[in-house]
Each structure stands twice: as C-alpha cells, then as structure tokens.
Amino acid sequence: MNSGAFRRWGWLVLAVLPLAAPAASLVLQDFAAALHCTPDVARGNTLFSRCTACHRADGSGSPDGVIPVIAAQHFRVVVRELVDYRHHKRWDPRMEHVSDDQQLRSVQDIADLAAYISALPPTRAPLSGDGEYLVHGAQLYARACASCHGQNAQGFNRGGFPRLAGQHLEYLLRQMHDAMEERRPTFSPEHTRLLEHFDRADLM
C-alpha cells in the first residue's frame, strides 16, 4: 500500500484491527459459559424441532452429505459449532440464522440443544464408494488421525474432537477441502498443514 492509499484507507485498517480480539473473546466467553450450564435435555428436544427440517428428527442429515449427521456428536463439539456460527467463525446462512440470539436466546439454550443432540442414538450414513481406497484410507487414518479422533473415529468429548464415524462421505470430503482452502478458519494450522499433504487417494 503506497502512502497515498494508506492515508485514504489506513485509518480504517487501524480502526478494525482492535475489533478482532473482542470478537475472539466473545466466542471463548460464550463457549465457556455454555459448558458451565446444567443442560436441560427435555428443553433441548423442544429447541431441536427447528433443526429437523434439515437434520431430520433422528439427526441423520441428508444422504447427499449436504447436511451432516449430528446425532451422538459430542456435547463440546456441538457447543463449539453453534458458538462459532453465532459469531460468524463458520459460514452457512442457515446455521447462522438458527444459532443467532433471536433463535437461541442464551448460552443456556445452546447447552440444552447440544445436550439433546449428543444424547441422540448414533446413526450411520449409507455406504458409498467402491472400496478402492478402503485399505489405504484405514492405514492413513491409523497413522495420521486416530490419535485425536480415536481408533474407531468415535472422537472425544473432553478434547473437543468430533465423532467422524457414521458421517456422510461427501460431507467429510467437503470439510477437508474447506479447511485446505481456508473456509474453516477455526481449524488449527497444524490440522490444515496435515491435510495439505494428502493427495486424492488419501482424501478418498
């Protein structure tokens, strides 16, 4: 940026920079506050009624993978996703609307909804693919992914590692590509760098 351009626009850059820290702070505050709530699963069931149009009553999402499986996803993971959408750290107009403070009016609502989702029985996406990369994928997963997501892709609530088992193939592929193309800003740099070393056979 040359000196003339900085005089015209530099004030705006300098004015916006301090806003990043408060925004990040609000995410952490809401996340921590929701984790400290005592969830009301029955109330979460009521709140979930507005989610069923996309995620279905059993939390199985859509067969084409546009809508993910969320049934039995870990409580901490669901809370973090809702908070991220609420504060525009993840981008999807439907989820941003559902998670805003007009729909989920408090962190208690977030905790209640997350508790209900995590208590849903696990579902399994329909099998897809011809199995060409199955053995290679299993070996790669064991080497690169199992230490965080678990030997059986069950994830871990304590660490906030999501359950991957039973998820739609198309959804998993899209999330990996989104991470590599910086459309998932909350992915850790380490996670993104790991995915960048994968080729097509690895991702499949």
Side-chain angles (χ1 to χ4, degrees):
M1 180 182 291
N2 60 39
S3 58
F6 185 83
R7 282 194 296 271
R8 288 193 300 272
W9 299 106
W11 66 270
L12 180 60
V13 174
L14 294 176
V16 168
L17 281 175
L19 298 179
S25 178
L26 284 174
V27 172
L28 294 176
Q29 287 175 19
D30 278 2
F31 179 64
L35 293 184
H36 282 89
C37 291
T38 300
D40 183 338
V41 177
R43 188 163 177 276
N45 184 13
T46 300
L47 293 169
F48 187 69
S49 63
R50 68 192 64 171
C51 309
T52 58
C54 293
H55 289 284
R56 300 187 175 188
D58 62 353
S60 62
S62 59
D64 60 4
V66 172
I67 308 298
V69 173
I70 57 173
Q73 187 57 268
H74 298 294
F75 176 77
R76 292 177 69 98
V77 174
V78 179
V79 168
R80 185 58 194 258
E81 296 302 316
L82 290 172
V83 169
D84 282 350
Y85 280 120
R86 188 185 191 89
H87 293 287
H88 309 293
K89 296 298 182 181
R90 284 197 67 181
W91 309 305
D92 183 296
R94 298 162 299 184
M95 285 302 303
E96 289 171 41
H97 170 69
V98 167
S99 61
D100 69 22
D101 57 11
Q102 299 300 311
Q103 305 296 321
L104 297 176
R105 296 181 179 274
S106 67
V107 292
Q108 181 68 55
D109 286 355
I110 292 174
D112 295 346
L113 179 57
Y116 178 77
I117 291 169
S118 67
L120 286 170
T123 66
R124 183 167 294 278
L127 294 176
S128 59
D130 57 11
E132 178 182 358
Y133 302 110
L134 188 60
V135 173
H136 174 70
Q139 294 170 344
L140 181 62
Y141 179 86
R143 184 171 71 251
C145 311
S147 60
C148 291
H149 290 284
Q151 182 177 359
N152 298 310
Q154 76 275 14
F156 298 99
N157 183 61
R158 182 182 292 273
F161 296 108
R163 174 189 296 274
L164 304 179
Q167 188 56 263
H168 299 290
L169 169 63
E170 292 80 3
Y171 181 79
L172 291 173
L173 284 172
R174 189 169 75 253
Q175 296 312 302
M176 289 189 285
H177 283 291
D178 281 354
M180 291 186 289
E181 295 164 15
E182 299 182 348
R183 292 192 295 269
R184 287 289 304 269
T186 54
F187 263 49
S188 69
E190 294 80 12
H191 204 164
T192 302
R193 284 195 294 269
L194 173 67
L195 292 172
E196 286 172 347
H197 287 93
F198 291 178
D199 59 24
R200 180 178 181 275
D202 295 334
L203 294 175
M204 291 297 293

